[in-house]
Amino acid sequence: MSKTLGWCLLPTTSDFKQEREARRSSRDIDVMLKRTSQEPVAILVLGISQSGKSTFIKQMRIINGPEFSQQELIDFRRTVYQNIIEGLQELVVKKTKMGIPWENSANETHEMLVMSVESWNMNLEPHTFQGFVTAINSLWNDSGIQEAYSKTKKINFFVSYIPCKQDILYAHKSCRDRDYFVHRNILITRSRSMWKYCFFDHNTTILFMAASSEFDQDLYGDNSLVESLNLFKSVLCNRFLRKCTIILFLNKTDLLAEKVQTADIRKNFPEFQGDPHSLEDVQRFLVECFRERITTVDDSHSFFYHFTTAVDTENIRIAFDSVKETIFRENVKNLMMQ
Ligand SMILES: Nc1nc2c(ncn2[C@@H]2O[C@H](COP(=O)(O)OP(=O)(O)OP(=O)(O)O)[C@@H](O)[C@H]2O)c(=O)[nH]1
Ligand SMILES: [Mg+2]
């Protein structure tokens, strides 16, 4: 194309020079693009507990394969049983704290049974779990528990079954989840033990997950969003991570959309200006909270963000495609600056 154009315009020596330069740049870019697409890249998935890190990594497995084996599904069943019992125990404690009585007084006996289960200490198989089903159902159907539940976050109940992919995504098992996934030249990990595989340069991206719906919830006694912002700031201050690109996933958008309908973020964050019942306004505010941490520490980080729902495979597929594109673009930019 440039050759044809060159002949038509009867090029001068300087035109030839320019064309040679252009060809050389184009070749350099081709080499760089080839290098970027092959260089190992690491994504460190960071964030406070319950923000959705393991769910994101499970989605990587669902999206990029291989399929879960029957044994893996059965292993997840125990986690789901454990989540059901622990979730119900948490609700019973909340109900008591809120001073809500049992609708059905027979549930006092069921309460004793369920509260005595040390689910983390036992091998929950279908036949053991079956022994608690009547009590679980009865407590769950009591209006006292329903009232406590309507004032807290959602928990799912299942009895004697093999979990499907969606159940796996809803299961929470702190720390013991498989915590990395390799997709082509990309290592995705949430584990510090894998940091040895990272270069901590522009080839490493921090994917910071924050549960956007938890602005009014506590984690170990402190506000969950404040905890998340503090961790975000300490990540930014970490000298090893200084050159990394930061991608923020403001996660649990489904729960946030539901929450803003009734909750008022100004109770926890009086500086919020805007409509507390507008999802967009609340999301904009949250992005600014995180962005502000970057500017107070060091604004040389490249910063990108997405509103995600980690339990929604399609949503994560789109977000991950965009993450890959961002990493690629950032790498090309960095190589061109070298
Ligand atoms: N509704 C909803 N639930 C989510 C979303 N993301 C994660 N969860 C649920 O939130 C819980 C915690 O998610 P995890 O991925 O286990 O959180 P984590 O960051 O790995 O937590 P730790 O392992 O304790 O550090 C799980 O029960 C998930 O199913 C989301 O976007 N929407
Ligand atoms: Mg986890």
Side-chain angles (χ1 to χ4, degrees), residues 47-60:
I48 64 169
S49 183
Q50 298 272 345
S51 54
K53 302 179 293 294
S54 302
T55 312
F56 173 75
I57 290 173
K58 282 185 238 172
Q59 289 284 23
M60 292 297 95

Side-chain angles (χ1 to χ4, degrees), residues 296-307:
T296 54
V297 173
D298 160 24
D299 57 8
S300 65
H301 280 289
S302 296
F303 173 62
F304 305 87
Y305 63 86
H306 296 275
F307 302 119

